[in-house]
Amino acid sequence: METLNQKAFEELIESRNLKTLRVRLMGMEALDIAILLESVSEEEMALAFRLLPKDLAVEVFDDFDGPTQHRLLESLTHRVVSQLLEAMSPDDRTELLEEVPASVTRRLLGLLSPEQRQVTLQLLGYEENSAGREMTPYFVDLRSNMTVAQAMERIRKLAVDRETIYECYVIDPQRHLTGTVSLKELVLARLESSVADVTQPNPRRVFTHSDREEAAS
């Protein structure tokens, strides 16, 4: 589908042909939508943004620069902002909150659920460019004494709320990290096998205060 230009966008807005506008926007790449909306008024941007499906809206929001994100948040209702913030990854949300004034940060934190607020406050406590900022709190942890069948059941229950399920962290009964296991290894293992039997021991450890470039190397 042809990318929507600013003139065609404004014509659809003025005629209130929102159904066609939504279809046209959904046929575009997130970055192209972001570039388009950055060039229109706050009212038009907010109206068009509300037409996007949630997953696409989050992608578009991530592609906005900081000032545009701030402008949009000021134009949206608390309910829409709350849904948007909850859908963002913790590290992207933290980066956003650092770029807005402190008063706005406090207001936005108040829109988060208690769990998400705690996670975000924790990440805000890490220094910029530290490994702690890049670490997701949404991973799958498995007990070493689980069977593979129990591990797969736990992954199924947690998958919808986790950023990744392809590598899981294995802990002992005292919650000490003992290794990692991939989803592929679990799928190929016998259901009655122990998670400990397929665990890769001695995982690489990184401190939260380490530089993120060094941690990634």
Side-chain angles (χ1 to χ4, degrees):
M1 185 178 294
E2 183 181 355
T3 298
L4 191 64
N5 59 38
Q6 185 175 349
K7 181 180 178 181
F9 171 85
E10 291 179 345
E11 288 176 352
L12 290 171
I13 288 284
E14 290 175 5
S15 64
R16 283 298 187 264
N17 192 348
L18 302 184
K19 182 177 180 180
T20 299
L21 177 59
R22 185 174 192 270
V23 172
R24 294 290 300 275
L25 289 172
M26 289 176 61
M28 295 170 59
E29 296 292 330
L31 180 59
D32 292 331
I33 298 174
I35 293 172
L36 171 64
L37 297 188
E38 284 176 346
S39 65
V40 302
S41 69
E42 290 182 12
E43 293 77 13
E44 291 173 334
M45 177 169 57
L47 175 59
F49 191 82
R50 290 189 186 98
L51 298 176
L52 301 175
K54 185 173 72 172
D55 290 346
L56 180 57
V58 172
E59 288 186 52
V60 172
F61 190 82
D62 284 343
D63 285 329
F64 284 143
D65 58 26
T68 303
Q69 289 180 335
H70 186 194
R71 283 197 302 129
L72 179 61
L73 290 175
E74 290 294 316
S75 303
L76 297 175
T77 65
H78 281 188
R79 181 180 64 83
V80 175
V81 172
S82 176
Q83 292 174 344
L84 178 62
L85 291 174
E86 291 276 342
M88 294 177 73
S89 66
D91 50 339
D92 286 341
R93 186 193 307 138
T94 301
E95 183 177 351
L96 165 67
L97 293 178
E98 280 204 323
E99 293 180 351
V100 299
S103 59
V104 177
T105 296
R106 287 193 295 271
R107 178 169 65 84
L108 296 179
L109 283 171
L111 298 177
L112 293 171
S113 65
E115 178 188 1
Q116 294 293 337
R117 189 182 310 123
Q118 181 179 2
V119 168
T120 303
L121 287 171
Q122 181 180 359
L123 288 178
L124 283 170
Y126 293 124
E127 292 184 7
E128 189 175 0
N129 297 322
S130 68
R133 283 292 184 88
E134 303 300 315
M135 294 180 181
T136 176
Y138 300 121
F139 57 86
V140 176
D141 60 315
L142 303 173
R143 294 296 182 101
S144 56
N145 57 357
M146 282 180 168
T147 64
V148 169
Q150 291 171 327
M152 294 297 291
E153 180 61 26
R154 178 169 173 78
I155 292 171
R156 277 191 287 270
K157 288 180 179 178
L158 298 178
V160 68
D161 295 322
R162 296 300 186 261
E163 285 192 21
T164 179
I165 61 172
Y166 299 108
E167 184 172 43
C168 304
Y169 296 89
V170 181
I171 57 176
D172 63 20
Q174 288 73 46
R175 299 195 62 81
H176 298 139
L177 179 65
T178 61
T180 60
V181 61
S182 70
L183 181 60
K184 178 180 179 180
E185 289 167 329
L186 290 171
V187 169
L188 294 176
R190 292 180 177 274
L191 293 178
E192 65 272 16
S193 298
S194 168
V195 167
D197 294 337
V198 291
T199 295
Q200 298 297 318
N202 304 316
R204 180 168 178 259
R205 288 172 167 81
V206 175
F207 293 104
T208 57
H209 59 266
S210 300
D211 182 87
R212 65 181 179 185
E213 296 295 335
E214 294 178 4
S217 62

